[in-house]
Amino acid sequence: MKFSMQVDLERTVISTVPGEFDGDPPVPHLDIGLPLDGIASADRLAVGLALIYSPWLSGPVEFPEAVSALTAQRISEFFGERFVTVTGIADRALPIPRGVGDVLVVDLALRSRPPADERALCLAPLSQAQGTVSFGQQLMVASNVHLLTGTPSTGLHTLGLAIVLAECADANILVHPSADNVPPALNLLLESVGLGLTQE
Amino acid sequence: MSELVASVVIGFKDWGLDRLQRCITSVQGSFAEVTVEVIVSDYGSLEGEPVAAAAAEAGARYVRTETDGTWSRSRALNAGFAVARGQQFFATDADMIFTPGALASVSRRLDTNPREAIILQCRDLPPDVAEVPVADTDWQRYERAATIRPRWGMGGLVATHREVFHALRGYDERMHTYGGEDIDFGKRLRRFGVPINWLDQPHIRMYHVWHPSSRLAATLDEAAEAAIGRNRRIHVNDLTTARNRTLSQIAEPRAVPLVSVVAQADRPAGVLRAELSNVLGQSVRDLEVLLVDTGGDGTIVAQQLNDDRVRVVPPPAGGWWHALAQASGTYSILHAPGSWHAPTRLETLLDHTAQRHHMPADAFVTAVATDNGELLPLPAREDAARTSPWSSLLLPTATVQSLLRTFPQGGTDPGDLVVGLLRNGLSVTPVLAPAGAQVLEEGVVSELMLDDMARSAQKLAWRLRAGNLPDEWLFAKPAPAAAREVVRSAQQLMNDQVDLVVWSSDDDVLESLERMADQDTAIHRCEVSDPSGERLMTLLKVAGLSGSLGRALRSQAASSILAGTTRIDTLQDDGEVTGDSSVRWMIEEYSRLYGGDPETAVWVVVRAAEAGAVGRAVQEMERLADVTVVLHRVVHDGTGAPQHVALGLVSAISSSLRSLLSVRASVSQSASVHLWLGQDCDTSLQELAVTSA
């Protein structure tokens, strides 16, 4: 799968071109209501996309930007027996952003917004909102990631988007329902991009 | 583990019984503790018995398909999977052998990954490796001697889940002779959203036993080479995902219907039943109808349709919304009230499916049904969007269901669904073929209503434009000639009547038929008994059944026909009487059907070369109180020239002459008008010509 990214003043569109062994995702692009051109971490973008598109990835994968060798290795290990290899490895060290504390990841398709004083990254479906709203301790970003749920849904699509947006939310640890039962390879994957995962 | 986990199908045709048995044995050993059935699908071996015996001896099931000699791996595999009972489907060939435990690993992988297909790397054995029994195989020697194939295409083994195989409708049965089946299947797996995993680990090995190249042999044969080219064109050019959409060897019922049709039971049962029987009569039979019981008649209509493809959905808030969430078809479509679908509508839409995010959309022609049953197309305004655009779309069910989960309060406006899908990245592929007619009753149509409909359709266009989303598909209209044709077809569908004779000892079929009948249908029932008085079968003569119900009945009774208990003969279909049938024969038949007693039935008979003359007679007969049944049929004489015949059944012989004269006065001189007085009358009186004088 080959990913490419277009950013304008209001949103980011990440397009996909499936390769020889990938399954076709339900929609051809990920539409995020936030311009991501200021993001420092290509690794987090790659890890987030790998999780969101994990139901369909197989074979070579090329992310919008080159990723570090460790992250590429951890992505391959995450897919286990399904052969996934990352092309486009950076020839220099990539920075790992450092956030501050826990941020609750809230899927607004499943539950309502928490109280305004709670640190949260709220993921809104495009049927409810568009763009980005930042208020108090919270950042609400609209996207179409809800259409990229696998069968059956594992929650990895919202976790993946939260990883992409973690730097915007200044997160160090993501509080996400999927933390209940994650394979060790997922924790290692998050570690490679300086993030932790815990349950609410 | 008691439940059967895996089914392995080996397509076979005269390729050596030892080789076949060796493959079966290696497959069984390779699954180790995983429960598996091996099915040998014999597609046209010269002699079936030795193959069946060899399969049985090795512990495999055997199915045979008689052929004309042409080999089709696709059809062979589909025939095998049609009887498969496992939850995982493995397709392989008789020239493959597997290391112990290899297929158990594949099975476990599938078990933990519900949406994946697995392919194994093929290794070719050289010609000098002897084909020894599996138990005596030196696997290490095989590993050293075998050469690895380039990783390209597919072949050897494809494994996936039962429901995925069914959603794709198996291998493409158009393919035959050699090559392309697995590549095509793999491409369709991917389009369905299933990634392909080349599982390659040291303990998972699949070896191809050497034999002279089938591909090379095929290139020496011109016909075979042409078939290979044709197979290639199919997998290169056909971008659809599900195949064998109207005809397949895969047994019914399917685990996953191809299309879910969502309709609301919010109108009179008779109207709804006619429309749904039209849906059930589609050329694509692999569908489910979800009937939202908003008006309370849903259960009654479903019982009358008596088709296990119809499911009644209770009506909580959200009607069609709720039904879509329960749809199990790969695709879904919303049925707009008053829609008459062309019989191949779903087939055409499915022909235009490609990538998952493309939604094919066709267009309906809006028409008004006049009081005398005529359909008049409404002149479409140039700037008017189509009236029920949401019913034009073939929706990808899984994606729609993901979207519906993001609407916190559910919804009532199907326009919200369309906007939501397009906003989330789906696109519309316009299909130029008109879908059918959306029919409005003349009594309820007013300028105000038409304005409302136009505004409602425009509203969606405005919403799409406001979101910078494509709306041009809303304004695509069929060409005027195509629109007229589709209205004519809808008229035919609405008026379409079928007369059948059903022979059956199956009470279910008979009861089903009697339930389908309405006030326009006449049924004449005879019991056929043996000399001791025991009932052998029932003969039902049915006249006036709607065409779509007639088609549905034929499909429904197909299995009974095969079982030899039911036979359906068509007396007249679509108003046409073909062959050397005479008017006399026809009247005798109708006397039995409608008159109850053919000895005393009295008919007014009008014959003319032009439909118009007979049409006027029909109108006149319908006006007469003493004429209880009016029929219009077309008879082809020995030269094939059509003759129009109107028949009116007169309730009492005393009023027959008055009826005759009334009809005579309504038609032109060129039409002949007769009175048929029943068989017990004097022969000379049976046909009494009445001249205009």
Side-chain angles (χ1 to χ4, degrees):
Chain A
M1 181 111 47
K2 184 173 179 179
F3 294 94
S4 58
M5 184 164 77
Q6 293 84 43
V7 184
D8 64 22
L9 291 174
E10 295 175 346
R11 60 180 191 158
T12 301
V13 175
I14 296 170
S15 303
T16 56
V17 179
E20 187 67 17
F21 311 120
D22 298 302
D24 283 2
V27 285
H29 55 253
L30 173 61
D31 189 339
I32 306 170
L34 177 72
L36 291 177
D37 51 351
I39 275 200
S41 175
D43 282 349
R44 283 191 182 173
L45 180 62
V47 168
L49 291 176
L51 291 188
I52 293 168
Y53 287 90
S54 59
W56 305 286
L57 285 182
S58 184
V61 54
E62 183 180 338
F63 294 107
E65 297 171 44
V67 300
S68 69
L70 176 64
T71 300
Q73 179 187 332
R74 295 277 168 89
I75 287 173
S76 289
E77 287 168 359
F78 170 75
F79 283 92
E81 287 184 334
R82 192 193 300 170
F83 177 64
V84 171
T85 180
V86 179
T87 64
I89 309 295
D91 56 1
R92 59 192 166 80
L94 298 179
I96 297 176
R98 305 291 172 193
V100 181
D102 297 3
V103 172
L104 177 66
V105 179
V106 178
D107 180 354
L108 292 182
L110 300 177
R111 55 179 283 192
S112 55
R113 221 183 65 215
D117 58 350
E118 186 168 353
R119 283 192 81 196
L121 172 59
C122 301
L123 305 179
L126 283 179
S127 52
Q128 294 181 24
Q130 63 181 24
T132 302
V133 180
S134 176
F135 47 93
Q137 297 285 303
Q138 295 180 4
L139 179 69
M140 185 179 82
V141 181
S143 76
N144 68 343
V145 79
H146 296 86
L147 265 66
L148 291 164
T149 174
T151 309
S153 177
T154 56
L156 287 183
H157 59 302
T158 52
L159 177 60
L161 184 58
I163 292 167
V164 172
L165 299 172
E167 194 173 349
C168 306
D170 201 18
N172 185 31
I173 293 173
L174 297 173
V175 182
H176 189 271
S178 71
D180 183 25
N181 186 23
V182 296
L186 180 56
N187 279 324
L188 288 171
L189 186 56
L190 286 165
E191 185 213 10
S192 74
V193 292
L195 284 172
L197 184 64
T198 187
Q199 210 182 357
E200 192 172 2
Chain B
M1 217 178 297
S2 58
E3 189 185 342
L4 193 61
V5 174
S7 295
V8 181
V9 174
I10 303 169
F12 186 82
K13 183 191 175 188
D14 290 329
W15 291 318
L17 299 182
D18 289 346
R19 179 172 290 176
L20 175 65
Q21 286 193 318
R22 195 159 175 251
C23 175
I24 296 168
T25 309
S26 91
V27 166
Q28 289 164 336
S30 191
F31 271 97
E33 79 287 359
V34 177
T35 53
V36 61
E37 63 174 356
V38 181
I39 299 165
V40 174
S41 180
D42 179 0
Y43 195 78
S45 289
L46 285 177
E47 290 183 47
E49 279 183 20
V51 184
E57 188 185 27
R61 295 173 65 196
Y62 173 80
V63 292
R64 177 173 171 84
T65 305
E66 300 297 341
T67 73
D68 61 0
T70 305
W71 165 248
S72 168
R73 184 166 177 270
S74 293
R75 294 173 214 158
L77 290 172
N78 286 356
F81 285 120
V83 299
R85 296 169 300 191
Q87 297 307 305
Q88 301 170 352
F89 281 9
F90 291 63
T92 191
D93 299 318
D95 53 5
M96 295 292 169
I97 56 172
F98 301 86
T99 51
L103 294 178
S105 296
V106 176
S107 175
R108 282 193 291 272
R109 171 74 197 174
L110 284 177
D111 200 33
T112 53
N113 289 272
R115 297 282 276 193
E116 192 170 270
I118 293 177
I119 292 174
L120 296 188
Q121 187 71 50
C122 188
R123 288 167 168 79
D124 287 306
L125 292 172
D128 59 348
V129 171
E131 293 188 42
V132 296
V134 172
D136 301 332
T137 301
D138 180 349
W139 295 106
Q140 289 187 345
R141 176 162 177 256
Y142 274 22
E143 182 69 2
R144 287 192 302 273
T147 52
I148 194 163
R149 264 190 205 178
R151 180 173 288 192
W152 182 84
M154 316 265 288
L157 179 105
V158 180
T160 192
H161 301 271
R162 181 190 188 91
E163 62 272 18
V164 171
F165 182 90
H166 280 156
L168 268 56
R169 298 304 179 264
Y171 285 81
D172 192 319
E173 293 174 12
R174 292 172 297 176
M175 292 180 153
H176 61 80
T177 304
Y178 180 87
E181 310 92 352
D182 281 325
I183 293 176
D184 177 70
F185 191 72
K187 286 181 175 179
R188 294 190 286 124
L189 280 167
R190 291 177 42 222
R191 282 200 286 272
F192 189 59
V194 174
I196 292 172
N197 186 5
W198 285 81
L199 199 58
D200 188 42
Q201 293 179 6
H203 71 284
I204 300 176
R205 287 289 182 262
M206 173 178 75
Y207 296 105
H208 175 246
V209 178
W210 185 89
H211 58 80
S213 167
S214 310
R215 177 69 179 86
L216 187 62
T219 57
L220 303 176
D221 180 327
E222 209 170 280
E225 190 66 16
I228 292 170
R230 185 167 176 269
N231 291 354
R232 178 177 159 71
R233 283 193 294 279
I234 290 173
H235 75 72
V236 169
N237 299 331
D238 189 340
L239 301 180
T240 60
T241 301
R243 299 285 168 76
N244 314 315
R245 297 183 287 269
T246 54
L247 185 66
S248 169
Q249 292 189 26
I250 305 175
E252 300 274 3
R254 308 277 166 66
V256 187
L258 202 46
V259 183
S260 298
V261 181
V262 175
Q264 303 222 49
D266 55 357
R267 282 160 309 126
V271 174
L272 191 62
R273 192 185 60 166
E275 285 180 20
L276 293 185
S277 67
N278 168 234
V279 172
L280 294 166
Q282 285 281 304
S283 58
V284 172
R285 297 211 25 84
D286 196 2
L287 50 85
E288 66 172 358
V289 173
L290 299 170
L291 187 53
V292 186
D293 199 6
T294 41
D297 282 347
T299 304
I300 295 167
V301 171
Q303 282 171 350
Q304 289 174 339
L305 289 167
N306 193 35
D307 189 314
D308 58 10
R309 294 175 297 167
V310 180
R311 184 151 58 100
V312 178
V313 180
W320 61 266
W321 200 275
H322 176 70
L324 265 182
Q326 294 187 27
S328 56
T330 304
Y331 302 96
S332 293
I333 201 156
L334 301 173
H335 172 80
S339 300
W340 287 85
H341 310 256
T344 55
R345 186 201 173 196
L346 293 180
E347 189 181 341
T348 304
L349 282 172
L350 289 166
D351 287 345
H352 287 77
T353 53
Q355 288 169 290
R356 297 177 73 190
H357 60 279
H358 286 292
M359 298 183 289
D362 51 18
F364 277 82
V365 177
T366 309
V368 176
T370 63
D371 288 342
N372 63 5
E374 198 179 353
L375 281 191
L376 300 174
L378 277 182
R381 303 178 199 177
E382 279 306 310
D383 61 338
R386 59 186 67 170
T387 47
S388 302
W390 37 270
S391 68
S392 307
L393 290 164
L394 187 66
L395 307 164
T397 305
T399 308
V400 165
Q401 289 171 340
S402 296
L403 178 67
L404 293 181
R405 284 192 284 271
T406 71
F407 284 84
Q409 308 300 328
T412 53
D413 181 0
D416 292 344
L417 177 70
V418 177
V419 174
L421 287 167
L422 295 179
R423 227 178 133 188
N424 276 276
L426 281 88
S427 57
V428 175
T429 307
V431 176
L432 294 178
Q438 193 171 355
V439 178
L440 310 170
E441 296 298 326
E442 187 177 46
V444 300
V445 175
S446 65
E447 278 300 315
L448 200 60
M449 178 190 173
L450 294 177
D451 283 347
D452 279 352
M453 285 172 59
R455 261 198 298 276
S456 166
Q458 274 288 352
K459 194 174 131 193
L460 181 60
W462 294 332
R463 290 180 67 189
L464 292 176
R465 280 177 204 160
N468 205 20
L469 298 168
D471 71 331
E472 60 279 3
W473 61 277
L474 291 174
F475 301 92
K477 292 183 177 62
R484 281 194 297 276
E485 177 58 25
V486 84
V487 170
R488 192 195 64 74
S489 300
Q491 174 99 60
Q492 193 177 25
L493 281 171
M494 293 173 75
N495 298 339
D496 189 14
Q497 294 208 320
V498 181
D499 304 333
L500 300 168
V501 179
V502 181
W503 312 73
S504 183
S505 58
D506 184 341
D507 286 336
D508 287 346
V509 171
L510 299 170
E511 285 169 18
S512 151
L513 188 56
E514 285 174 332
R515 271 200 299 276
M516 284 179 179
D518 58 17
Q519 68 271 18
D520 296 328
T521 311
I523 295 185
H524 183 73
R525 183 175 181 140
C526 309
E527 303 293 341
V528 180
S529 308
D530 68 8
S532 68
E534 188 175 345
R535 192 189 79 153
L536 296 174
M537 64 167 60
T538 300
L539 169 65
L540 283 187
K541 290 190 175 183
V542 188
L545 200 65
S546 78
S548 46
L549 278 175
R551 282 187 285 277
L553 176 72
R554 280 205 201 91
S555 311
Q556 187 182 327
S559 58
S560 301
I561 293 168
L562 290 177
T565 58
T566 301
R567 204 179 93 215
I568 296 179
D569 293 334
T570 304
L571 281 183
Q572 281 83 35
D573 207 340
D574 303 329
E576 298 272 329
V577 181
T578 55
D580 57 359
S581 312
S582 67
V583 173
R584 176 183 296 270
W585 170 86
M586 186 170 70
I587 293 173
E588 285 173 2
E589 287 296 319
Y590 284 132
S591 297
R592 291 189 189 94
L593 289 166
Y594 290 98
D597 183 0
E599 306 300 312
T600 58
V602 178
W603 293 84
V604 176
V605 183
V606 180
R607 287 190 268 194
E610 314 82 25
V614 171
R616 285 189 291 279
V618 167
Q619 285 179 3
E620 178 63 15
M621 288 180 192
E622 285 175 337
R623 201 184 58 79
L624 296 172
D626 295 319
V627 176
T628 53
V629 175
V630 181
L631 302 168
H632 180 182
R633 294 290 183 261
V634 181
V635 178
H636 293 271
D637 63 18
T639 65
Q643 186 182 36
H644 292 267
V645 180
L647 302 167
L649 179 63
V650 184
S651 58
I653 194 165
S654 57
S655 58
S656 59
L657 197 55
R658 188 171 61 240
S659 302
L660 178 81
L661 293 171
S662 297
V663 173
R664 174 70 272 177
S666 71
V667 298
S668 64
Q669 300 292 329
S670 60
S672 72
V673 183
H674 296 81
L675 199 59
W676 175 272
L677 293 173
Q679 294 179 0
D680 63 343
C681 300
D682 185 275
T683 308
S684 62
L685 293 177
Q686 281 194 15
E687 288 192 46
L688 173 66
V690 178
T691 65
S692 59

